[in-house]
Amino acid sequence: MLSIRRFEERVLELFSRGELFGTTHTSIGQEAGAVAVIDHLKHGDFIVSGHRCHGHYLAWTVDYAGLFGELMGRAGGVVGGRGGSQHLHAEGFYTNGVLGNMVPVAAGMAMAEKRRGEGAIGVLFLGDGAMGEGTVYETLNMLSLWQLPLLVVVENNCYAQTTPLDLHFAGSFSGRAKAFGVDTGEIESNDVRELHSHFESIVKKVRGTSAPHMEIVHTYRLCAHSKGDDFRPAEEIETWRRRDPLRIEAARLDEESRNEIERQVEEIIHEAEQRARARPPAGARTNRVMEAVR
Ligand SMILES: Cc1ncc(C[n+]2csc(CCOP(=O)(O)OP(=O)(O)O)c2C)c(N)n1
Ligand SMILES: [Mg+2]
């Protein structure tokens, strides 16, 4: 969790210094869910995410240099420096910035895994805002009808860009899943240990039954939607800052362990940034995607 946090803080710093450009969406405050779910996955499983994907990507791959390189537009970036922050692909990992568009794709991939019969499952991360896309409901229907092994994790961080949940969302998350006969549950937590044990049985169930499940994690982002676009009440942010997942976990560790973890993470992030900087800019000849097409 700490290395995801420090990575994203550094990304925001590089943006503000004009060293990175384009856009980005950090997951500061939401690290616990990413780490807790992904820790239960196995080689062969797959993850589909969206625009706020750094935490999911890093929890799955620990490829800090690759993601720095991608954001810097360097050869050796995750997708050759051409995808940027939102469009990543690594083994078992797929993201796209268009809200909801990967939902049916994830269902198709889960169907392929079911047919392959090797017990792999998929995890699809969605935000509360993505639940406004109609394709989510067409896909829930097919997931249920065909009993596809996909765990849909809805990260409800209470906002879609600047719109609070009560202005964009009617009914309930679980009610929507139940309408399609999809098993569902909810948890409000930023505690990585609580989330980890909560998801252990859910992942096991999806794998064991090869059936879909939708779990809602009620959380909060402590960062702006993108870089400076934050119009939320300061007191609200402060309330959630007290429930920062890093704070919760740090309180369980002694000072010596906290300092040692900080030191190790600082080294990992610094070294990854230097490795990414040492790579040449992405170009046609060094672009892995172009080479694959050729
Ligand atoms: C089809 C589509 N419409 C609009 C956008 C612009 N957009 C990017 S993120 C976002 C809000 C997403 O909210 P949510 O799903 O709750 O995810 P969060 O940003 O809170 O993680 C919007 C509207 C988009 N990327 N794709
Ligand atoms: Mg949201």
Side-chain angles (χ1 to χ4, degrees):
M1 287 198 297
L2 189 66
S3 44
I4 294 169
R5 175 73 57 95
R6 295 290 177 259
F7 176 92
E8 294 199 306
E9 284 172 345
R10 181 65 181 154
V11 163
L12 291 175
E13 198 180 325
L14 294 174
F15 263 101
S16 68
R17 285 173 23 182
E19 291 192 43
L20 292 180
F21 49 89
T23 195
T24 197
H25 308 86
T26 60
S27 61
I28 291 170
Q30 298 181 211
E31 298 90 344
V35 169
V37 173
I38 291 170
D39 195 51
H40 294 300
L41 301 185
K42 297 180 182 171
H43 184 77
D45 291 338
F46 69 88
I47 297 168
V48 174
S49 176
H51 60 289
R52 204 174 298 287
C53 59
H54 301 165
H56 306 140
Y57 179 77
L58 294 174
W60 178 242
T61 63
V62 297
D63 176 22
Y64 303 94
L67 191 50
F68 266 133
E70 189 54 42
L71 296 171
M72 291 173 186
R74 306 281 170 144
V78 179
V79 283
R82 295 293 171 142
S85 172
Q86 306 180 79
H87 306 104
L88 305 178
H89 165 58
E91 194 183 352
F93 193 89
Y94 308 81
T95 72
N96 191 291
V98 182
L99 282 189
N101 81 329
M102 291 298 276
V103 180
V105 175
M109 291 167 69
M111 188 173 192
E113 290 308 335
K114 184 161 185 147
R115 288 189 174 181
R116 217 190 311 271
E118 290 170 8
I121 68 163
V123 173
L124 165 69
F125 288 99
L126 290 179
D128 50 288
M131 296 297 283
E133 296 291 343
T135 191
V136 170
Y137 305 97
E138 296 178 48
T139 304
L140 281 175
N141 186 50
M142 302 319 292
L143 283 177
S144 181
L145 209 53
W146 293 341
Q147 289 294 283
L148 302 179
L150 189 70
L151 168 58
V152 182
V153 177
V154 180
E155 296 179 298
N156 170 27
N157 58 12
C158 312
Y159 286 86
Q161 204 147 343
T162 49
T163 312
L165 191 70
D166 58 355
L167 292 187
H168 77 74
F169 193 87
S172 70
F173 292 102
S174 53
R176 293 183 184 197
K178 280 180 196 153
F180 293 97
V182 171
D183 269 9
T184 184
E186 314 199 17
I187 182 168
E188 180 175 318
S189 180
N190 269 344
D191 179 344
V192 71
R193 297 189 193 209
E194 184 182 23
L195 286 163
H196 191 264
S197 60
H198 183 77
F199 275 100
E200 185 173 13
S201 53
I202 295 170
V203 169
K204 221 177 252 172
K205 190 197 72 172
V206 173
R207 203 182 295 286
T209 59
S210 182
H213 182 103
M214 180 191 280
E215 193 68 14
I216 297 93
V217 179
H218 299 283
T219 181
Y220 195 78
R221 63 172 155 76
L222 292 173
C223 48
H225 168 73
S226 179
K227 283 159 283 172
D229 48 347
D230 202 346
F231 307 100
R232 300 168 303 170
E235 327 74 85
E236 179 184 291
I237 301 173
E238 203 38 54
T239 307
W240 281 91
R241 209 176 284 288
R242 287 195 281 277
R243 301 170 64 191
D244 180 337
L246 292 184
R247 255 198 201 191
I248 295 172
E249 188 54 24
R252 297 186 174 117
L253 305 173
D254 59 44
E255 200 182 339
E256 199 181 319
S257 317
R258 285 201 297 266
N259 291 342
E260 180 54 21
I261 294 168
E262 277 284 2
R263 194 194 58 74
Q264 285 182 21
V265 165
E266 202 173 299
E267 205 175 290
I268 289 167
I269 301 304
H270 178 74
E271 191 265 339
E273 184 183 332
Q274 297 317 311
R275 259 200 294 150
R277 283 182 186 279
R279 302 300 303 266
R285 291 179 62 81
T286 51
N287 184 317
R288 273 174 17 206
V289 177
M290 292 304 291
E291 276 162 17
V293 171
R294 275 195 215 114

